[in-house]
């Protein structure tokens, strides 16, 4: 199917978009409408010549932002819309054509993603208002991880919490892990074997993928579990909540806020959640920034080592996301902690590989696991899944 797909990723006060043609070489039009509902609302984007533009949209809501996005598409018209939906619960193992049943199912999972799913549905409603006759497809962050076996997705909790309340590990960043593991299989002589993928951006997660199926992943019921992230703590002792409540009198909302917004690289460094600034500060001898780098890298290596248990064979690791694609320092740190797996980094290749370039970074030992950097393309993957869904429904 040659559909030109408008990919929409809607937050509570923002709409990210990308218009993606079936031909991967065709230029993309993309951008973000942000601060919606306020006097400062604006649309920022790239035109087909790659020039940036900014348009003020004072007081605009989501539907008005989507109309403005439509006006910015230089006369190009999508033939379908693909929505990024954060949580599909156990309802969705793949992308779904949006109808009232799909909307009702997304609403029922809103309890699991109270910040994201309702905002995603606002985007669906606003897009339907602007494009009433276009097919709309929901692509879920969780769907790729629905192949996890029970040993990976069940918490050791009373089983009624799973059966009656859906308390289990779901995993996120599914479109990214799916994209880079599939691409590793295409680029590598190992094919679609056993890949560990590390999506390291503001949010961070790892995944173990065997023959294009996710077998385990570091995020859980929510995107807070697992690795150290920009402002999220990742794993902590589950007893921490009770301790903070009893000893400091913190409410659940305060604890939630601290673990999600004030922890991670920001909390450890006492400085910033931005890896570029952390690296620069550590270079100048800032002890908090150096500690943040140590903990960040160690926790990634530990997670990759743990997830390797899910794979029948380990063919390699793939780094992606803003940090994974751009930080030779973090890649060197992580691989340096895993020599017993046979990983060996080609330092020169590691140093030169920058954003937008995919490449192999290991010393090409015939039997050792490989190291790849592959830029993620979540929007491209959402567009592809949207096309496949429409073909399957035709
Ligand atoms: P993302 O959420 O994928 O856009 O990734 C954002 C993270 O990538 C931030 O922590 C950035 O500091 C980090 N990042 C971007 N470029 C670089 C770079 N050249 N070196 C280190 N980190 C980078």
């Amino acid at each position: 199917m040659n559909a030109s797909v408008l990919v929409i990723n809607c937050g509570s006060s923002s709409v990210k978009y990308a218009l993606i043609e079936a031909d991967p070489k065709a230029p993309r039009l993309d951008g973000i409408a942000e601060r919606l509902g306020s006097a400062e609302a604006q649309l920022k984007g790239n035109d087909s010549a790659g020039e940036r533009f900014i348009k003020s949209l004072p007081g605009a809501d989501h539907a008005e932002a989507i109309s403005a996005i439509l006006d910015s598409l230089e006369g190009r018209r999508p033939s379908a819309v693909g929505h990024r939906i954060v949580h599909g619960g156990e309802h969705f193992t793949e992308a779904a054509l949006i109808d009232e049943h799909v909307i009702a199912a997304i609403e029922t999972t809103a309890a699991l993603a109270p910040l994201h799913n309702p905002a995603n549905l606002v985007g669906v409603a606003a897009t339907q208002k602007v494009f009433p006759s276009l097919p709309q497809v929901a692509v879920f962050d969780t769907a790729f991880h629905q192949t996890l076996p029970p040993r990976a997705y069940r918490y050791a909790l009373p089983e009624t919490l799973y059966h009656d309340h859906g308390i289990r590990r779901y995993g996120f960043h599914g479109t990214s892990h799916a994209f880079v593991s599939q691409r590793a299989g295409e680029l590598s002589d190992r094919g679609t074997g056993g890949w560990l993928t590390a999506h390291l951006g503001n949010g961070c997660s790892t995944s173990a993928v065997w023959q294009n199926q996710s077998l385990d992943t570091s995020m859980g019921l929510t995107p807070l579990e697992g690795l150290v992230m920009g402002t999220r703590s990742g794993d902590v002792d589950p007893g921490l909540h009770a301790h903070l409540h009893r000893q400091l009198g913190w409410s659940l909302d305060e604890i939630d806020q601290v673990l999600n917004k004030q922890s991670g690289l920001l909390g450890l460094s006492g400085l910033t959640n931005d890896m570029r600034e952390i690296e620069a500060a550590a270079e100048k001898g800032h002890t908090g920034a150096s500690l943040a780098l140590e903990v960040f890298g160690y926790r990634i290596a530990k997670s990759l080592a743990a997830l390797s248990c899910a794979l029948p064979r380990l063919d390699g690791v793939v780094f992606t996301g803003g940090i994974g694609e751009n930080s030779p320092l973090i890649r060197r740190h992580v691989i340096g902690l895993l020599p017993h797996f046979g990983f060996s980094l080609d330092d020169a290749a590691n140093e030169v590989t920058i954003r937008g370039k995919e490449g192999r970074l290991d010393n090409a030992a015939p039997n050792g696991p490989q190291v790849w950097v592959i830029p993620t393309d979540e929007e491209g993957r959402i567009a592809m899944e949207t096309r496949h869904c429409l073909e399957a429904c035709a």
Side-chain angles (χ1 to χ4, degrees), residues 199-203 273-276 279 321-323 326-327 355:
H199 177 107
L200 310 175
N202 246 325
N273 64 329
D274 189 296
M275 182 53 87
R276 279 164 297 202
E279 288 187 8
I323 299 170
N326 292 300
S327 175
R355 187 157 219 157

Side-chain angles (χ1 to χ4, degrees), residues 127-339:
T127 314
Q128 282 174 333
K129 204 166 149 190
V130 179
F131 303 103
S133 55
L134 283 191
Q136 316 236 1
V137 171
V139 180
F140 300 91
D141 258 21
T142 49
F144 181 60
H145 300 301
Q146 279 295 302
T147 47
L148 260 60
R151 70 176 187 184
Y153 73 69
R154 284 293 295 274
Y155 292 113
L157 292 170
E159 65 115 35
T160 138
L161 287 176
Y162 169 61
H163 285 293
D164 300 343
H165 303 286
I167 307 293
R168 52 159 283 178
R169 307 183 65 251
Y170 291 96
F172 299 86
H173 289 145
T175 50
S176 181
H177 291 294
F179 177 81
V180 299
S181 55
Q182 185 177 350
R183 187 77 190 124
E186 289 161 5
L187 292 169
S188 164
D189 53 351
R190 303 285 174 86
T192 57
W195 294 97
L196 294 172
T197 51
H199 177 107
L200 310 175
N202 246 325
C204 299
S205 63
T206 48
S207 188
V209 184
W210 174 248
Q211 297 184 335
N212 289 330
Q213 299 219 315
S214 175
L215 295 186
D216 203 352
T217 189
S218 62
M219 285 177 167
L221 175 73
T222 75
L224 185 56
E225 187 175 331
L227 304 179
V228 171
M229 313 185 206
T231 61
R232 284 178 237 158
S233 62
D235 290 342
V236 291
D237 183 334
L240 178 69
H241 293 68
H243 180 82
L244 292 175
H245 176 65
R246 290 192 194 112
Q247 297 301 315
L248 305 181
W250 290 5
S251 69
L252 277 180
D253 282 345
E254 283 171 312
I255 297 168
D256 199 44
Q257 175 78 7
V258 167
L259 295 184
N260 276 293
K261 302 271 189 240
Q262 294 164 31
S263 300
L265 294 174
L266 173 64
L268 282 165
S269 69
L271 207 60
T272 172
N273 64 329
D274 189 296
M275 182 53 87
R276 279 164 297 202
E277 292 173 26
I278 300 260
E279 288 187 8
E283 177 87 30
K284 288 190 194 126
H286 189 285
T287 44
S290 301
L291 178 70
L293 287 179
E294 279 297 310
V295 179
F296 184 76
Y298 179 65
R299 291 272 292 273
I300 297 164
K302 201 160 123 172
S303 173
L304 292 173
L307 287 193
S308 72
C309 299
L311 297 174
R313 189 181 79 214
L314 177 57
D315 289 300
V317 63
V318 184
F319 288 96
T320 195
I323 299 170
E325 292 166 34
N326 292 300
S327 175
L329 182 84
I330 293 297
R331 295 190 299 241
R332 191 168 61 241
H333 184 186
V334 171
I335 295 301
L337 289 165
L338 298 167

